[in-house]
């Protein structure tokens, strides 16, 4: 089980993929997000993540394995930075060894009729993103993001995905209330995704779509990202801090990223669109 949010649970799909490759099936996953695992080929059972399930597992002497990539440091709004990519940290908790591919998986059917509806389009998310854990230190300027959307709208249809609580961007078609499976189809058919580190980035990778991700400096792309993406980072002395909301430096790691920096990253991703997605392979001891 994993106490995190949507993105963390989607990353767990690689665990069951790797377990199945090693002949291990019939697993249970404690999760509030069964849609992420629907139609998986691993005979994986999704059960409620609650005290009743935990007590039952203790009773039958099958305690659950806690998956995580960093632990909270007291009550100071900070996580201990992982030494490896998040996925590696998760796999190590389950004692996976050997060669692994660092990417999540999506197993539901993709609706390809969206190309007919929207033509060539890109997906974006508001920088005022909403998640189960508030993280202000990953939010880029909404004003700058709007300028990027205005620029993209001159060449593409722009579809905004995310949560209904997030700010609506102008010149973008509103898909904030889409289900997870609908968002997966939107991402699978788009040219690329533009946003910040989080669940939509991982969902885009699971459906073989490139992204432009505005990282700033709270954490590094090598800790959570993918080589097929264009990751816009800064490198102040305090980075990576892994703090969620408190910042002693006025979030300069985000403020240093200009509109032109992101536009340049978009140009680089557009050049890569015809190419096969790059993938990280690692060998775990």
């Amino acid at each position: 089980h994993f106490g995190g949010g949507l993105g963390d649970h989607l990353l767990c799909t690689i665990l069951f993929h790797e377990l199945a490759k090693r002949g291990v099936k019939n697993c249970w996953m404690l999760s509030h997000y069964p849609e992420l695992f629907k139609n998986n080929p691993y005979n994986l059972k999704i059960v409620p993540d609650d005290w009743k399930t935990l007590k039952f597992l203790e009773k039958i002497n099958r305690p659950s394995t806690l998956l995580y990539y960093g632990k909270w440091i007291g009550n100071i709004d900070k996580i201990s930075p992982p030494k490896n990519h998040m996925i590696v940290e998760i796999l190590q908790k389950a004692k996976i060894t050997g060669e692994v591919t660092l990417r999540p998986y999506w197993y539901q059917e993709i609706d390809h009729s969206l190309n007919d509806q929207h033509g060539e389009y890109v997906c974006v998310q508001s920088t005022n993103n909403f998640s189960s854990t508030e993280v202000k230190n990953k939010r880029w300027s909404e004003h700058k993001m709007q300028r990027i959307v205005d620029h993209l709208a001159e060449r593409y249809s722009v579809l905004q995905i995310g949560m209904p609580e997030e700010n609506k961007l102008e010149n973008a078609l509103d898909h904030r209330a889409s289900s997870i499976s609908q968002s997966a189809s939107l991402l699978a058919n788009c040219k690329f995704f533009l946003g910040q580190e989080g669940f939509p980035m991982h969902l885009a990778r699971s459906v073989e779509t490139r992204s432009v991700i505005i990282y700033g400096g709270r954490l590094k792309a090598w800790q959570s990202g993918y080589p097929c993406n264009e990751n816009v980072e800064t490198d102040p002395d305090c980075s990576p801090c892994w703090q969620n909301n408190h910042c002693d430096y006025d979030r300069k790691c985000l403020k240093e990223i200009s509109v032109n920096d992101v536009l340049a990253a978009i140009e680089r991703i557009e050049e890569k669109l015809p190419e096969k997605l790059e993938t990280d392979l690692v060998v775990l001891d």
Side-chain angles (χ1 to χ4, degrees):
H1 74 281
F2 201 128
L6 278 166
D8 299 325
H9 283 242
L10 182 60
L11 290 181
C12 292
T13 56
I14 188 176
L15 169 59
F16 301 105
H17 179 84
E18 296 298 332
L19 285 171
K21 283 169 55 178
R22 291 156 177 78
V24 180
K25 293 190 176 182
N26 303 313
C27 296
W28 284 17
M29 177 68 187
L30 282 68
S31 179
H32 298 301
Y33 313 110
E35 189 175 4
L36 297 177
F37 305 94
K38 187 177 180 180
N39 296 341
N40 75 83
Y42 315 128
N43 201 23
L44 173 66
K45 183 176 181 179
I46 308 303
V47 296
D49 186 358
D50 57 25
W51 67 269
K52 292 182 180 179
T53 304
L54 293 172
K55 291 293 288 185
F56 173 74
L57 292 172
E58 289 180 8
K59 187 175 182 179
I60 64 172
N61 198 28
R62 291 290 187 273
S64 62
T65 298
L66 176 62
L67 305 173
Y68 60 93
Y69 45 77
K71 291 185 175 181
W72 288 100
I73 302 174
N75 60 352
I76 62 173
D77 187 47
K78 184 174 182 176
I79 298 172
S80 57
K83 298 179 180 179
N84 306 290
H85 193 284
M86 287 178 175
I87 294 175
V88 171
E89 296 283 345
I90 291 171
L91 294 176
Q92 288 178 335
K93 302 302 181 293
K95 296 180 171 54
I96 294 292
T97 59
E99 185 177 88
V100 298
T101 304
L102 301 188
R103 54 151 299 181
Y105 296 88
W106 181 256
Y107 296 107
Q108 295 186 47
E109 185 175 352
I110 298 297
D111 179 5
H112 292 291
S113 68
L114 297 169
N115 286 326
D116 299 328
Q117 298 176 33
H118 301 292
E120 285 199 339
Y121 70 91
V122 298
C123 287
V124 301
Q125 184 184 27
S126 165
T127 57
N128 185 29
N129 61 305
F130 179 87
S131 65
S132 57
T133 300
E134 185 176 36
V135 185
K136 294 179 180 178
N137 288 345
K138 66 165 65 174
R139 295 177 181 172
W140 193 48
S141 162
E142 192 83 343
H143 173 70
K144 290 179 181 178
M145 178 61 85
Q146 184 62 63
R147 290 175 60 189
I148 300 293
V149 170
D150 293 342
H151 178 84
L152 289 172
E154 296 175 1
R155 296 182 293 129
Y156 301 103
S157 293
V158 180
L159 277 58
Q160 182 178 348
I161 62 172
M163 302 295 288
E165 297 89 347
E166 297 170 1
N167 294 344
K168 171 67 174 64
L169 293 163
E170 297 179 9
N171 290 326
L173 300 174
D174 192 357
H175 288 267
R176 290 175 296 166
S178 298
S179 67
I180 295 172
S181 59
Q182 289 169 338
S183 295
S185 286
L186 289 170
L187 286 166
N189 288 280
C190 75
K191 302 297 286 185
F192 58 87
F193 167 67
L194 168 64
Q196 295 162 117
E197 191 272 338
F199 173 65
M201 174 189 80
H202 298 301
L203 187 60
R205 182 62 188 88
S206 74
V207 296
E208 305 288 336
T209 294
R210 295 182 184 272
S211 300
V212 174
I213 302 299
I214 303 168
Y215 267 88
R218 175 182 173 265
L219 67 161
K220 296 299 187 183
W222 67 261
Q223 295 173 310
S224 72
Y226 305 100
C228 59
N229 294 344
E230 283 295 325
N231 302 303
V232 186
E233 298 180 284
T234 54
D235 195 29
D237 293 339
C238 53
S239 174
C241 67
W242 279 76
Q243 292 191 155
N244 284 354
N245 299 291
H246 177 74
C247 179
D248 293 322
Y249 305 100
D250 196 28
R251 299 192 178 99
K252 68 176 184 178
C253 63
L254 287 166
K255 292 181 177 180
E256 288 178 356
I257 296 175
S258 69
V259 169
N260 286 337
D261 290 333
V262 178
L263 290 176
I266 289 172
E267 289 182 4
R268 293 193 298 270
I269 211 77
E270 288 174 324
E271 292 176 357
K272 294 181 180 179
L273 292 179
E275 302 173 7
K276 183 180 179 181
L277 270 63
E278 301 83 356
T279 303
D280 273 338
L281 292 174
V282 300
V283 178
L284 305 182
D285 298 326

